[in-house]
Amino acid sequence: MNTGKTVLVIEDEKQLSQALYTKLLHEGFRVLQAFDGEEGLMLALTKHPDLILMDIVMPKMDGMTVLTRLREDQWGKDALVIIMSNLSDGVKIDEGLQKNIVGYIIKSDWKLHDIINKVKYTLNIQ
Amino acid sequence: MNGSARQISRGKKDTLWKNFIYSGYSRSTTNSLVLRQLFFINTFSMLGFLAVTIFGIIHVLSGSYHVGIPELTGGFAFLCNLILLRVSKHISLVKGIVLATQGTLLLVQLATGGFAHTGIYWYFTFPVAAFFLMGKKNGIIWMCLLYVATLLVLDLALFDKVLIVYTFVEIRQLLISLFFTTFLIYLYQNAIEETETVLEKEKVKDDALLESIGEGILAVEKDGTISLSNKVAVELLGLQIDHLIGNKFTTVYSLLDTKGNRIPEGMRPINQALLTKEKIIGEYVVSKIDNTTFTAFIAASPVVLEGKIIGAIQLFRDITHEKELEKAKSEFVALASHQLRTPISAIAWFTEMILHGDVGTISAEQREHLTLIYQSNQRMATLVDALLTVSEIEMGNFTIKPEPTDLGALCHKVINEEKERRKLTKIPEIKEIYDQALVKISVDPNIMKIILQNLISNAVRYTSEKGTITATILPSGQGGFDGVISYKDGVLITIADTGYGIPKAQEEKIFTKLFRATNIKERDTDGTGLGLYIVRSIVDEVGGKIWFKSKENKGTTFFVWLPKIGMKEVKGDKSLLPAGEREQLSQV
């Protein structure tokens, strides 16, 4: 089953990125991977994915900066972004919400299955 | 506030008077007995000088030279003594001169008869003065000297060298009654000195004790004047001992709370102890005269004599170093648990994919084992989360964001979530009683939820399925719970169960980090030992109170009291989120 949608995973932890990559592929998405914020921002601005799953704490450029830069772009200002983090950090959540993200995920609390559901729900896929 | 401008005033108002009655010695000695003796000598010499000189003048003017001249000489001796008292530091010399003058005048009275032949009555003042000034041993010597001198005068009378106006019977009765008086006063002095020796020993012991205690001590009178202190207190406060004693404790240092807010005088531990008659314990920041500070653990207790408060004692110690260690430890735990989350997530996700059949079909046995791996990993995630919460609480920088909250509705929600979580096992019946009058109270709903979740989940876990749990939220003062401290003007939340209870011997430890009661450890291996510690820490932080009563195999009731005004807003750099709340946040 091919959804025809592209998801960009910006995550510096290789194993977590791998899990998301495999699962999303299984669910019929096209998946782009970036392992730091800079690479992620570049991929986002050039490939215009349908959805971005992004970590906050990353080398080179952190997730919040990526988000700020993305929102400055003509395409990027309306891009769909779901923030993933290990931080149960209310301040960051508030900050992210102000930048118009569509969701916030605490990785250790979420099942992969739920993340996929969240992605599908956001992209209106049944 | 400018600390250097803050002067320490010493109590000088009665110095002049003290200087007068103690003849200037009050500065050089604090021994109360010596001070009393000085007072006695001073008063006695002054009265003696005035009386004897006046009588001497009268006698000389009336022509009785044999009485008047010795009297004037005695008056002169007293005057010399008063002067000596003020220029000399030899207290014993002054004492001797007073007694010698007094004795000489008594002999004159004996020989001359004094006023209307009643001079010998004055003899009875001598043993009192001798024992009081010289103590029991030297007092006896002085009495012997008086007896010998008296006998010499009587001898001279026998040889008609002097003329004695008293009869033989009078003299005999004088000597006998003087002897008995001396004996009785000796016994009295003996008793006093024995008591004093005991007191002195106690005092030496007390002093040694005070100095050997590693904590600073301030003992204050009811009005806040410092009456006693020790070396550690002096060092901690960076002052001299005489800057402390006799001054109001509020003038020698000020107190801040751990967030740096100044504590008003009335709320300082010593004043609170004096006011409430209760022991006050806490962590504060002491701001010294020179404006440097240190974090202190302070315990202030009232001193109660026959039901009345007569003062308070404060113990305090510098815990700056301990706090730094604690902070370093919390930061380490925070960092470690944060790092642990990534591998936990990876294990969870890959296990989940295999279980879901993403990488091919698996056998029933493989599924069973993978499920166990998955569950164990979840347990680890819970523990790591709890540790992270603990370290965030301990670093004390979490946000409190109060908003009007319907506590009953929140509690109901928590109970339903708990039921949902345990839908596969049988759980006890849960009754809910909420006062409708308490519709909204200003609390942080997330923090409130952590408290309720922990207490309710404990109650469910540690009660058999046949038991009952009752969650009650009422204005405090109502509800009629016996044996409970009544906090007025607030909300009382009670979570009562009919479960396994807490063993009596372990009640004290129940809020301790990583502690699990022995009777539930065997029944339930899942607990982290952090829940009640987290609850207690949070309740303390938001200005509430928590306590409980319990009986093993009968049940436990936890009480949480919150002030009517609810929680105060705090802007920290972390937010505490209850389990399950994170998913909801991401549904926006």
Side-chain angles (χ1 to χ4, degrees):
Chain A
M1 182 190 70
N2 196 334
T3 59
K5 301 279 185 187
T6 307
V7 178
L8 169 61
V9 177
I10 312 175
E11 166 66 71
D12 63 317
E13 296 288 348
K14 296 259 164 36
Q15 294 94 332
L16 295 185
S17 181
Q18 181 64 35
L20 287 165
Y21 178 83
T22 315
K23 187 71 184 176
L24 285 166
L25 224 51
H26 269 270
E27 298 291 331
F29 291 95
R30 283 177 52 204
V31 190
L32 295 169
Q33 274 177 296
F35 296 101
D36 63 63
E38 240 174 55
E39 192 190 356
L41 182 63
M42 195 198 71
L43 273 178
L45 296 177
T46 52
K47 307 276 178 172
H48 294 187
D50 299 293
L51 179 77
I52 300 169
L53 279 174
M54 180 170 65
D55 191 11
I56 289 186
V57 184
M58 284 186 298
K60 292 191 186 168
M61 189 187 284
D62 70 65
M64 283 300 149
T65 318
V66 174
L67 195 57
T68 313
R69 301 275 284 275
L70 195 64
R71 293 302 184 221
E72 289 164 1
D73 182 73
Q74 189 58 34
W75 169 84
K77 71 179 197 302
D78 300 317
L80 299 176
V81 179
I82 293 175
I83 294 274
M84 306 182 294
S85 182
N86 273 333
L87 300 169
S88 52
D89 190 333
V91 180
K92 286 274 162 56
I93 297 174
D94 289 349
E95 212 176 295
L97 290 177
Q98 280 164 16
K99 292 192 173 108
N100 211 16
I101 55 170
V102 292
Y104 190 100
I105 291 166
I106 311 277
K107 282 179 276 191
S108 59
D109 291 351
W110 280 57
K111 289 183 179 173
L112 212 41
H113 179 70
D114 297 329
I115 298 176
I116 300 304
N117 282 348
K118 175 90 188 164
V119 169
K120 286 183 175 172
Y121 175 80
T122 312
L123 293 172
N124 284 319
I125 299 164
Q126 292 311 307
Chain B
M1 188 191 53
N2 185 355
S4 57
R6 242 163 69 198
Q7 289 292 320
I8 296 174
S9 66
R10 301 184 61 181
K12 277 183 180 165
K13 63 174 183 186
D14 48 12
T15 306
L16 253 172
W17 169 243
K18 271 190 186 167
N19 209 9
F20 176 70
I21 60 170
Y22 298 135
S23 340
Y25 279 88
S26 63
R27 272 168 186 278
S28 57
T29 179
T30 52
N31 184 327
S32 64
L33 178 67
V34 175
L35 284 178
R36 266 178 266 158
Q37 288 175 342
L38 286 166
F39 174 71
F40 177 87
I41 294 169
N42 198 39
T43 317
F44 190 78
S45 300
M46 268 185 230
L47 290 175
F49 165 69
L50 287 174
V52 175
T53 310
I54 291 168
F55 278 114
I57 292 169
I58 294 170
H59 284 139
V60 169
L61 291 179
S62 62
S64 320
Y65 295 109
H66 67 289
V67 182
I69 288 173
E71 278 177 345
L72 283 178
T73 316
F76 183 69
F78 279 130
L79 183 64
C80 289
N81 208 30
L82 281 170
I83 294 165
L84 188 66
L85 201 57
R86 277 156 179 79
V87 295
S88 164
K89 294 279 175 220
H90 300 288
I91 297 172
S92 49
L93 180 68
V94 179
K95 286 182 193 170
I97 292 174
V98 164
L99 284 179
T101 313
Q102 193 189 353
T104 312
L105 284 172
L106 288 176
L107 295 175
V108 172
Q109 298 283 353
L110 174 71
T112 62
F115 180 72
H117 296 180
T118 56
I120 53 168
Y121 291 159
W122 291 98
Y123 257 75
F124 296 98
T125 59
F126 196 82
V128 182
F131 282 112
F132 177 63
L133 292 181
M134 293 302 183
K136 62 174 182 181
K137 275 186 198 154
N138 290 336
I140 291 174
I141 295 172
W142 279 88
M143 283 314 294
C144 289
L145 286 175
L146 182 70
Y147 266 96
V148 170
T150 305
L151 290 173
L152 276 175
V153 172
L154 292 175
D155 263 352
L156 291 175
L158 276 180
F159 296 108
D160 290 336
K161 299 285 183 203
V162 289
L163 185 73
I164 299 276
V165 294
Y166 301 102
T167 64
F168 171 72
V169 175
E170 280 171 329
I171 299 291
R172 192 189 66 194
Q173 290 311 112
L174 168 71
L175 294 181
I176 292 171
S177 56
L178 185 65
F179 177 79
F180 276 106
T181 309
T182 304
F183 182 63
L184 289 173
I185 293 176
Y186 170 80
L187 289 181
Y188 176 73
Q189 182 69 21
N190 191 34
I192 283 183
E193 284 182 24
E194 270 174 14
T195 319
E196 270 173 5
T197 315
V198 173
L199 287 176
E200 193 67 24
K201 272 188 191 162
E202 290 293 320
K203 194 178 178 306
V204 171
K205 268 194 223 162
D206 286 351
D207 286 350
L209 189 70
L210 281 181
E211 294 309 324
S212 64
I213 288 175
E215 276 153 321
I217 296 173
L218 290 180
V220 302
E221 308 285 330
K222 209 177 165 187
D223 66 351
T225 311
I226 300 171
S227 57
L228 185 144
S229 183
N230 69 345
K231 215 161 102 186
V232 181
V234 168
E235 281 164 6
L236 282 175
L237 296 174
L239 294 165
Q240 303 293 322
I241 187 88
D242 57 345
H243 288 152
L244 291 177
I245 308 291
N247 282 303
K248 291 264 162 62
F249 76 94
T250 44
T251 65
V252 293
Y253 67 96
S254 51
L255 213 55
L256 316 173
D257 65 22
T258 46
K259 294 186 180 76
N261 304 313
R262 199 184 166 78
I263 293 176
E265 277 191 19
M267 293 306 289
R268 290 178 64 158
I270 289 179
N271 283 336
Q272 281 291 300
L274 288 171
L275 191 73
T276 62
K277 280 196 189 184
E278 274 172 35
K279 190 173 178 181
I280 311 292
I281 294 176
E283 282 177 18
Y284 300 87
V285 175
V286 172
S287 173
K288 296 194 270 185
I289 290 280
D290 62 5
N291 268 1
T292 57
T293 59
F294 64 89
T295 310
F297 173 82
I298 293 181
S301 312
V303 180
V304 181
L305 182 70
E306 290 169 357
K308 280 186 182 167
I309 294 192
I310 55 163
I313 290 185
Q314 171 175 294
L315 288 180
F316 60 113
R317 91 187 124 88
D318 187 347
I319 54 165
T320 310
H321 186 58
E322 286 166 44
K323 292 304 273 183
E324 278 167 6
L325 280 179
E326 213 172 274
K327 190 164 173 259
K329 189 210 66 196
S330 295
E331 279 167 359
F332 170 75
V333 173
L335 191 75
S337 31
H338 200 244
Q339 295 294 324
L340 282 169
R341 282 182 155 190
T342 303
I344 288 172
S345 300
I347 294 170
W349 289 358
F350 282 108
T351 317
E352 192 194 326
M353 270 198 277
I354 304 173
L355 278 169
H356 196 249
D358 286 357
V359 287
T361 37
I362 50 170
S363 72
E365 204 180 352
Q366 282 169 334
R367 173 170 300 279
E368 199 183 304
H369 289 183
L370 282 167
T371 307
L372 286 174
I373 292 176
Y374 189 80
Q375 284 171 350
S376 302
N377 191 54
Q378 286 308 106
R379 246 182 84 191
M380 192 146 67
T382 311
L383 183 59
V384 165
D385 273 1
L387 280 172
L388 197 59
T389 306
V390 164
S391 61
E392 274 163 10
I393 290 170
E394 285 179 349
M395 286 189 279
N397 54 0
F398 63 89
T399 302
I400 302 173
K401 210 170 159 186
E403 53 186 76
T405 307
D406 184 339
L407 281 185
L410 185 69
C411 190
H412 183 67
K413 193 173 148 201
V414 170
I415 289 170
N416 279 348
E417 283 173 10
E418 186 68 26
K419 284 179 181 165
E420 179 64 24
R421 194 171 300 136
R422 298 184 191 274
K423 60 187 169 191
L424 297 179
T425 49
K426 280 190 175 172
I427 62 165
E429 184 196 356
I430 305 179
K431 290 181 191 163
E432 298 170 55
I433 304 163
Y434 308 125
D435 190 317
Q436 295 306 314
L438 276 172
V439 181
K440 303 261 160 153
I441 177 163
S442 177
V443 295
D444 183 319
N446 285 334
I447 289 177
M448 207 57 235
K449 206 171 165 186
I450 296 179
I451 297 171
L452 292 170
Q453 270 177 349
N454 277 294
L455 293 179
I456 286 164
S457 121
N458 277 355
V460 170
R461 267 200 293 191
Y462 306 132
T463 305
S464 78
E465 57 185 71
K466 287 173 194 141
T468 317
I469 293 166
T470 314
T472 315
I473 303 179
L474 295 170
S476 60
Q478 290 186 23
F481 296 103
D482 57 325
V484 171
I485 320 149
S486 128
Y487 290 96
K488 283 179 184 160
D489 277 342
V491 183
L492 189 67
I493 302 164
T494 49
I495 310 292
D497 67 47
T498 57
Y500 311 132
I502 300 162
K504 189 93 194 154
Q506 297 175 353
E507 283 189 355
E508 271 182 29
K509 289 190 186 160
I510 204 70
F511 291 114
T512 318
K513 190 163 40 175
L514 296 172
F515 176 80
R516 302 197 66 216
T518 45
N519 61 334
I520 51 106
K521 245 184 193 166
E522 302 138 19
R523 287 180 212 270
D524 176 302
T525 50
D526 266 6
T528 59
L530 293 171
L532 284 177
Y533 175 74
I534 290 175
V535 171
R536 216 269 306 264
S537 308
I538 294 179
V539 171
D540 282 355
E541 192 69 29
V542 300
K545 303 267 180 202
I546 180 166
W547 67 100
F548 67 93
K549 53 177 189 174
S550 183
K551 202 164 186 190
E552 216 177 338
N553 296 321
K554 292 279 180 205
T556 306
T557 305
F558 274 92
F559 303 86
V560 174
W561 173 87
L562 293 171
K564 203 177 186 177
I565 50 156
M567 300 176 184
K568 278 190 191 142
E569 182 161 2
V570 176
K571 283 201 166 70
D573 44 337
K574 300 271 177 203
S575 295
L576 300 179
L577 293 177
E581 198 64 20
R582 296 160 190 168
E583 288 91 332
Q584 305 210 343
L585 264 164
S586 55
Q587 299 298 329
V588 287

